[in-house]
Amino acid sequence: MIGILGGTFDPVHFGHLRPALDVRQALDLDEIRLIPCHVPPLRPQPHASAQQRTAMLRLAIEGIGGFVVDARELERDGPSYSLDTLELLRKDLPGKTICMLVGMDAFRGLTAWHRWRELLNNCHIVVMTRPRAAFPKEGELADYIQRHRVRDAGMLRTKSSGLLWFQEVTQMEISGTRLRAMLAAGEPADFLLPAGVLDFINKEGLYRN
């Protein structure tokens, strides 16, 4: 099984990387593909360029087995819709089961995603949660959970798509917004992101006012 984690990664930090590692280990995934978004449909345009964000991702996973950078969204014009990426991955990875990793906050906004009901036609969705997380109790998302959630992670290997799994992960209260504000203010960001990424940010003069 392949895990994919998309995002602006502006910049990539341990709040992205540690939960992804937790999922890889818990589900015994063959690899995690980090997919930087080109034009986010529901968020402001990234501050760093596509080339800079890709470079930071490559630095972040240097020497770490089982993690790769997949830059396919940067090669497409227009909004970077997850469904388009999943459909391309299904063509490029025939026979592979794809697990799309999303954080709980992103999952709560799933109904605003482009053609969101079609996502499970192409993958399983793995929601990364903190312990004892509260799930929606009513509405479209609650119905969606009821229909697709499995209670045994082994079920993910019995089908190529269509299932929803909630995986507890290490929660790190780090956000790109807060990191950028710290860097703009000249505050130290050590131990919040990989040292190689921080060195790159400093050399490039990124996120400075």
Side-chain angles (χ1 to χ4, degrees):
M1 291 196 299
I2 301 291
I4 65 168
L5 177 62
T8 55
F9 300 114
D10 189 30
V12 60
H13 52 72
F14 289 135
H16 299 125
L17 300 170
R18 180 66 221 192
L21 178 61
D22 288 344
V23 173
R24 179 172 182 258
Q25 293 176 332
L27 301 183
D28 194 24
L29 300 179
D30 298 323
E31 67 179 23
I32 296 285
R33 293 191 174 210
L34 302 172
I35 304 180
C37 177
H38 186 201
V39 182
L42 301 175
R43 301 181 62 177
Q45 187 67 17
H47 294 258
S49 70
Q51 293 76 17
Q52 289 169 326
R53 290 183 291 121
T54 302
M56 287 189 283
L57 279 173
R58 296 193 191 284
L59 288 168
I61 64 171
E62 189 173 12
I64 301 176
F67 280 75
V68 298
V69 177
D70 185 327
R72 69 182 61 229
E73 288 191 357
L74 303 179
E75 300 166 0
R76 296 203 312 263
D77 294 328
S80 301
Y81 293 126
S82 295
L83 181 61
D84 294 340
T85 300
L86 286 167
E87 289 176 343
L88 287 172
L89 283 166
R90 294 292 291 178
K91 292 177 181 177
D92 292 347
L93 301 170
K96 285 288 187 180
T97 297
I98 298 170
C99 295
M100 183 174 70
L101 281 55
V102 299
M104 191 64 182
D105 289 344
F107 179 72
R108 290 184 187 280
L110 190 69
T111 58
W113 290 29
H114 175 67
R115 293 164 60 188
W116 68 280
R117 292 187 179 278
E118 299 176 42
L119 294 170
L120 283 179
N121 294 340
N122 299 279
C123 68
H124 300 313
I125 296 178
V126 175
V127 184
M128 300 177 288
T129 72
R130 55 175 52 87
R132 297 176 296 281
F135 304 128
K137 296 293 192 299
E138 58 185 22
E140 279 188 302
L141 203 53
D143 292 341
Y144 189 76
I145 293 171
Q146 182 66 28
R147 287 197 308 274
H148 299 291
R149 185 182 185 184
V150 292
R151 305 282 180 167
D152 178 2
M155 293 294 294
L156 299 176
R157 295 187 178 276
T158 66
K159 298 178 64 177
S160 62
S161 62
L163 303 179
L164 181 61
W165 172 253
F166 290 87
Q167 178 65 50
E168 289 187 4
V169 297
T170 304
Q171 290 292 319
M172 307 185 75
E173 299 298 330
I174 307 171
S175 75
T177 301
R178 174 60 181 147
L179 266 176
R180 292 191 298 272
M182 291 174 65
L183 292 163
E187 298 176 15
D190 304 87
F191 308 120
L192 296 175
L193 68 174
V197 174
L198 186 56
D199 287 343
F200 180 87
I201 288 170
N202 290 330
K203 288 175 183 175
E204 293 284 309
L206 286 171
Y207 311 119
R208 309 300 189 205
N209 283 336

